[in-house]
Amino acid sequence: MSIPLPDKAADTTAEQPWPVRLLSMKIAEYVDRMSVTWVEGQVVQLTRRPGARTAWLTLRDPDVDMSLSCMVRVTALDAMPAPLGEGARVVVQAKPSYWTQRGSLSMDVRQIRPVGVGELLARIEYLKQHLRAEGLFEASSKRPLPFLPRRVGLVCGRASAAERDVVENAHRRWPGLPFEIRQVAVQGPTAVTEVSAAVAELDAIDDVDVIIVTRGGGSVEDLLPFSNETMVRAVAEARTPVVSAIGHDVDTPILDLVADVRASTPTDAAKLVCPDAAQEGAGVVEARGRARAALAGMVDRERRGLVQLTSRPVLTDRTAFVRAQREVVASLRRRAHSRVEARLHRERDRIGHLRTQARVLSPASTLERGYAIVQRPEGEVVASREALAVDDLLRVTVADGDFAVRVTDS
């Protein structure tokens, strides 16, 4: 007798597992209940065999490295206005389907529509307005380029003419300028991820002082990765100044607005990131000549001024001024000496007068005139006879000394 299988996946155990066929059937049933959906992506690969009714299409998300395998009817491909090629942006109507024999999930594409240039431009404009509202285009957020970078980071296509233009023109202006080059895909489904990764890698190198992102011109579809939000934000988050040199003057991807500096062409980018050595040398020579001429003119003017000063009558005899000042100093010293002596005489007379006044008003002078000071033994001065009692002992001070007395009845 066979053991019944659990109805739900949550009821399975190690003793009662589902066989592979049952799990595949359950997944197929669940996927079959999913609704038809519209999906947008970029064509990475299209496999179409002669005589086959279906073809295989691989769609990739242009913002992240994620792809999806799709099965499309040949009639849907033939109904398109133009042949479908790799790198094209499309919108497909598809329903998920699960292949039980291989255990793989795919999308059954029923309709496929190309994304037109007008729609792409509208999406770019919408993204542009959104990023402008965030302040990513503000001039205050732009970083200045260094006068002479220690090393230049370059993100470009593989064996591209843009790379040659930048490197050759930069070395023509400043021979020996070092470059750190990252050759990546600048067109197609992997352009966004490869360029963003290259910018982040160069930004992490300490001596890379400026980064150039460049490629040649192309159609709107070709330059679409440089208006991708993921790449634009990767450039905005870089610490190193970034120069955008995409296409020609008429090409204006969003990367041009976010980058710190926009170059009209790869050749213009080389001119922006490094100075012209010959021109700078000529400027140094010219500056040295102007400085030498200015210094010679200043020395000549000062020499003429000195000659004019020394030729004046007052400076003909160079010791006359010193003698005059010496006489002034001697006169001031004499006046100071006489004033000090007069002040000393006045102060001496005033001190003598004060000494005489002090002598006349002193207690000793009073005692010499016959007065006496009567005090109790403890030193208290007797000011009234009523304060005395019979037999009180008193001390009497006169001019030439003191003596004791005793109070008797008067």
Side-chain angles (χ1 to χ4, degrees):
M1 180 176 181
S2 61
I3 300 175
L5 297 175
D7 292 333
K8 298 180 180 180
D11 297 334
T12 59
T13 62
E15 291 74 20
Q16 287 186 300
W18 273 356
V20 174
R21 65 179 181 279
L22 181 57
L23 176 61
S24 297
M25 292 174 59
K26 294 286 186 181
I27 295 176
E29 291 175 0
Y30 179 80
V31 172
D32 190 59
R33 291 195 296 269
M34 296 179 67
S35 303
V36 176
T37 184
W38 287 94
V39 180
E40 179 186 354
Q42 189 173 23
V43 177
V44 177
Q45 185 179 9
L46 176 62
T47 303
R48 181 175 180 177
R49 295 184 177 87
R53 293 184 178 183
T54 59
W56 289 98
L57 179 69
T58 303
L59 292 181
R60 179 183 177 278
D61 192 312
D63 292 335
V64 295
D65 190 10
M66 185 177 297
S67 59
L68 183 66
S69 178
C70 303
M71 181 182 66
V72 57
R73 294 181 176 87
V74 172
T75 54
L77 292 176
D78 295 338
M80 296 187 65
L84 187 64
E86 295 182 1
R89 295 283 289 267
V90 296
V91 176
V92 300
Q93 184 191 45
K95 187 179 187 307
S97 63
Y98 184 77
W99 289 52
T100 57
Q101 284 129 359
R102 290 185 299 177
S104 62
L105 179 69
S106 66
M107 300 293 290
D108 183 11
V109 176
R110 301 177 180 181
Q111 296 184 52
I112 182 168
R113 300 177 185 177
V115 178
V117 174
E119 187 175 356
L120 291 176
L121 293 177
R123 295 182 185 181
I124 292 174
E125 186 62 27
Y126 176 80
L127 177 60
K128 188 184 300 183
Q129 298 299 330
H130 180 68
L131 297 177
R132 179 179 286 107
E134 291 187 21
L136 266 64
F137 301 164
E138 295 295 331
S140 58
S141 64
K142 308 299 183 183
R143 291 151 295 192
L145 299 182
F147 171 73
L148 179 61
R150 292 172 294 175
R151 185 178 297 274
V152 177
L154 178 60
V155 181
C156 58
R158 298 177 177 88
S160 62
E163 175 186 352
R164 293 193 301 272
D165 289 345
V166 172
V167 175
E168 291 178 3
N169 281 280
H171 285 166
R172 191 177 297 116
R173 293 172 60 84
W174 197 275
L177 180 66
F179 274 83
E180 190 72 24
I181 301 175
R182 295 293 182 271
Q183 294 181 341
V184 297
V186 292
Q187 180 177 333
T190 62
V192 173
T193 55
E194 291 190 24
V195 172
S196 301
V199 170
E201 183 181 350
L202 293 174
D203 187 45
I205 301 176
D206 291 336
D207 62 345
V208 172
D209 295 330
V210 63
I211 300 173
I212 301 175
V213 180
T214 183
R215 68 148 287 164
S219 63
V220 175
E221 293 86 347
D222 293 339
L223 301 182
L224 195 61
F226 298 94
S227 292
N228 182 275
E229 185 175 1
T230 300
M231 181 187 298
V232 166
R233 293 193 180 278
V235 170
E237 293 171 0
R239 298 176 297 106
T240 309
V242 177
V243 177
S244 173
I246 307 301
H248 306 295
D249 289 335
V250 296
D251 300 320
T252 55
I254 297 180
L255 185 65
D256 286 350
L257 304 176
V258 176
D260 299 286
V261 177
R262 176 187 182 272
S264 58
T265 61
T267 302
D268 185 46
K271 297 179 181 179
L272 291 173
V273 300
C274 67
D276 190 338
Q279 184 177 353
E280 295 300 324
V284 171
V285 171
E286 182 181 356
R288 289 179 60 185
R290 289 198 304 267
R292 185 180 294 107
L295 181 59
M298 183 181 67
V299 171
D300 185 59
R301 288 193 301 272
E302 296 298 326
R303 182 182 293 111
R304 290 197 304 269
L306 184 59
V307 170
Q308 292 176 0
L309 289 174
T310 56
S311 62
R312 294 178 181 178
V314 70
L315 293 179
T316 303
D317 183 5
R318 292 183 173 86
T319 61
F321 180 76
V322 176
R323 288 198 305 271
Q325 298 305 314
R326 183 184 294 116
E327 293 176 359
V328 173
V329 172
S331 175
L332 293 174
R333 290 181 62 185
R334 289 193 299 271
R335 290 170 58 188
H337 188 268
S338 62
R339 290 187 179 185
V340 170
E341 285 185 348
R343 182 65 180 272
L344 289 176
H345 288 312
R346 287 197 302 271
E347 293 300 323
R348 190 179 295 114
D349 293 342
R350 190 172 66 85
I351 291 172
H353 180 66
L354 293 174
R355 185 183 293 114
T356 301
Q357 288 181 345
R359 187 179 299 113
V360 171
L361 298 175
S362 67
S365 177
T366 303
L367 294 176
E368 287 177 356
R369 294 198 300 271
Y371 293 94
I373 300 175
V374 180
Q375 296 174 295
R376 293 182 183 278
E378 61 273 13
E380 180 184 358
V381 176
V382 179
S384 174
R385 66 184 299 277
E386 295 178 356
L388 298 177
V390 178
D391 291 335
D392 282 349
L393 183 62
L394 304 173
R395 184 165 65 90
V396 179
T397 302
V398 295
D400 58 350
D402 59 357
F403 55 87
V405 296
R406 187 177 296 278
V407 178
T408 60
D409 188 16
S410 56

